[in-house]
Amino acid sequence: MTVTLNGPLPSGSYDVAVVGAGVVGCAIARELARRPRLRVALVEAQDDVGQGTSKANTAILHTGFDAVPGSLEARLVREGARRLAAYAGESGIAVEPVGALLVAWDEEQRAALPHLAEKAVRNEYRATRLIEPAELYEREPHLGPGALGALHVPGESIVCPWTTTLAYATQAVRHGVDLHLNSPVSDVNWHDGEHVLSTARGTLRTRRLVNAAGLHADTLDRHLGHRDFTVTPRRGQLIVFDKLARDLVHHILLPVPTARGKGVLVTPTVYGNLLLGPTAEDLDDKRATGSTAEGLALLRESGARILPALLDEEVTAVYAGLRAATEQDDYRITAHPEQAYVTVGGIRSTGLTASLAIASHVTALLADMGLDPGPARDLEPVRMPNLGETHPRPHRNARRVAADPEYGSLVCHCEGVSRGEIRDALASTVPPRNLDGLRRRTRARAGRCQGFYCGAAVRELFEGAGA
């Protein structure tokens, strides 16, 4: 198992290098790991996996009912949803099939609902149903007044995005993929059948290249002479409400979508919180992940209409993420056989759902370009730590605590995180490199107090492990 953080990169040439260790890049690396003949590198600019667009999203496992029919995104989301749901079950990734309601707040939106139902059928999703206001308010009694009806989409689910990305990376590394962190790519040259990547840690050579660089996919593309699309960072700000607000809503509450996206929603999380957001702000700065007073005020205004009682609840945190928007409403996955190169661009919020299907699609494109992957093998399954509320954390499992008392020693009382879970995360295949990484692996410091009470103890454990 190889995860490198510093020092020069290996001098030999890889068969395939994947740039970008977000959820899509990690899924591609995992898929390639099924071919033991291949030497594969996963190259990431930051010090952990899932640090870019994969880190901050609404964590919805989509059905793809509202995708553009016939698009590549529609097909890959449809296939990916089935595959990720099965994978989550096998791997212990938290998922809750709560379903969604697209709520119509005016006559124009209500008139759009039957068309959305027809669109769902064209996307091979036939379980939607129009519901009248009486049933809507019976299902969601805290919904704001004035709703005229809704489209029920029972297959929409919520999922843990952090564990998903980490599970892919863990499986890939355990099956021979070299994960090189802290390796931002500044240039690429294609010469004599080989890509030469210039990174902050030196040169990396590979015979085939996959660009899964998220927000920076267009920049990497331009290094190889392609100007097919431009990534516009679309900021989404979100508000996280305390777990005491969880009973206010039972479904994902969606607005009727517009050309700018799915709009502001209210959704439960698998961790027991409620999310309000996101905004949709097209920016120039690909590092602008800060929240703004204007953005949060807009969210609260929307929340007041959707679920008025929500605004009386305690806010646990606010955060913002950037989506990789392009000029087209579809993924920009393109093979360039003459350069042994595949671009995986324009992967927005549905990329989490579609990740496993994207990985298979990209692997097929590599094979079409002449890659001989050799025979496939089954991967040893991984069992990820449960971060969800539907299954008990280890400190509630008497048998597990009896076998290992560290699981009964709580460090983060808000989230019920034990010393044993922190110990396990620090010793894992892809360990955290900072306290935020540890939080994404355990939920330590992610609760109501945001680390006010447990922060010192968590830091002591982290620093004591020499992480």
Side-chain angles (χ1 to χ4, degrees), residues 64-193:
F65 77 96
D66 57 346
V68 177
S71 65
L72 180 62
E73 180 183 26
R75 176 170 71 82
L76 295 181
V77 169
R78 185 167 59 245
E79 294 175 4
R82 289 192 291 267
R83 295 183 59 176
L84 180 53
Y87 181 77
E90 297 164 2
S91 307
I93 297 167
V95 175
E96 287 187 53
V98 294
L101 293 168
L102 273 85
V103 180
W105 295 98
D106 57 38
E107 289 295 343
E108 183 179 357
Q109 293 178 6
R110 183 163 68 173
L113 295 181
H115 300 293
L116 286 166
E118 294 167 4
K119 189 176 187 181
V121 172
R122 283 186 282 154
N123 283 318
E124 301 182 22
Y125 186 77
R126 296 176 173 80
T128 64
R129 186 170 65 88
L130 296 170
I131 63 174
E132 296 298 320
E135 181 180 349
L136 174 59
Y137 280 98
E138 183 178 351
R139 286 176 172 271
E140 294 291 353
H142 297 284
L143 196 67
L148 302 180
L151 182 69
H152 184 213
V153 190
E156 296 279 297
S157 302
I158 52 177
V159 65
C160 177
W162 305 327
T163 313
T164 303
T165 305
L166 190 61
Y168 295 161
T170 298
Q171 247 178 336
V173 170
R174 287 181 181 174
H175 291 83
V177 172
D178 290 347
L179 171 59
H180 300 302
L181 302 168
N182 284 338
S183 303
V185 176
S186 58
D187 199 5
V188 184
N189 286 294
W190 167 249
H191 186 65
D192 286 342

Side-chain angles (χ1 to χ4, degrees), residues 350-386:
T350 56
L352 169 63
T353 300
S355 52
L356 290 174
I358 292 173
S360 294
H361 181 66
V362 170
T363 302
L365 292 177
L366 289 169
D368 290 343
M369 293 193 312
L371 173 69
D372 179 8
R377 62 180 170 182
D378 293 332
L379 300 178
E380 290 293 325
V382 291
R383 194 67 187 172
M384 304 307 294
N386 167 50

Side-chain angles (χ1 to χ4, degrees), residues 77-355:
V77 169
R78 185 167 59 245
E79 294 175 4
R82 289 192 291 267
R83 295 183 59 176
L84 180 53
Y87 181 77
E90 297 164 2
S91 307
I93 297 167
V95 175
E96 287 187 53
V98 294
L101 293 168
L102 273 85
V103 180
W105 295 98
D106 57 38
E107 289 295 343
E108 183 179 357
Q109 293 178 6
R110 183 163 68 173
L113 295 181
H115 300 293
L116 286 166
E118 294 167 4
K119 189 176 187 181
V121 172
R122 283 186 282 154
N123 283 318
E124 301 182 22
Y125 186 77
R126 296 176 173 80
T128 64
R129 186 170 65 88
L130 296 170
I131 63 174
E132 296 298 320
E135 181 180 349
L136 174 59
Y137 280 98
E138 183 178 351
R139 286 176 172 271
E140 294 291 353
H142 297 284
L143 196 67
L148 302 180
L151 182 69
H152 184 213
V153 190
E156 296 279 297
S157 302
I158 52 177
V159 65
C160 177
W162 305 327
T163 313
T164 303
T165 305
L166 190 61
Y168 295 161
T170 298
Q171 247 178 336
V173 170
R174 287 181 181 174
H175 291 83
V177 172
D178 290 347
L179 171 59
H180 300 302
L181 302 168
N182 284 338
S183 303
V185 176
S186 58
D187 199 5
V188 184
N189 286 294
W190 167 249
H191 186 65
D192 286 342
E194 190 176 61
H195 292 281
V196 180
L197 280 63
S198 301
T199 84
R201 294 176 51 196
T203 298
L204 185 139
R205 299 176 183 276
T206 181
R207 286 182 282 278
R208 294 165 186 82
L209 180 63
V210 176
N211 171 6
L215 290 167
H216 304 282
D218 56 343
T219 303
L220 190 57
D221 233 23
R222 282 162 172 69
H223 285 308
L224 287 161
H226 305 289
R227 296 182 178 276
D228 299 336
F229 65 95
T230 298
V231 173
T232 299
R234 180 168 293 168
R235 181 165 61 188
Q237 302 185 48
L238 296 109
I239 300 175
V240 183
F241 287 88
D242 188 81
K243 294 183 180 184
L244 292 175
R246 176 64 179 84
D247 289 339
L248 288 178
V249 67
H250 307 294
H251 305 76
I252 304 165
L253 299 180
L254 300 171
V256 176
T258 69
R260 287 185 61 81
K262 299 180 187 300
V264 175
L265 56 86
V266 176
T267 178
T269 73
V270 294
Y271 321 115
N273 304 92
L274 286 186
L275 282 183
L276 172 64
T279 57
E281 311 157 56
D282 287 347
L283 307 174
D284 296 323
D285 187 352
K286 294 182 178 179
R287 301 166 299 176
T289 55
S291 299
T292 66
E294 295 79 9
L296 298 179
L298 174 66
L299 292 181
R300 293 186 70 86
E301 181 182 343
S302 299
R305 181 177 193 186
I306 301 168
L307 205 68
L310 184 61
L311 300 192
D312 296 329
E313 299 293 334
E314 298 287 340
V315 172
T316 299
V318 298
Y319 67 91
L322 298 174
R323 288 160 275 174
T326 68
E327 302 89 339
Q328 293 190 5
D329 289 332
D330 201 357
Y331 295 161
R332 307 302 298 262
I333 302 177
T334 307
H336 304 281
E338 72 284 0
Q339 293 176 312
Y341 170 59
V342 179
T343 303
V344 188
I347 312 297
R348 294 176 293 183
S349 59
T350 56
L352 169 63
T353 300
S355 52

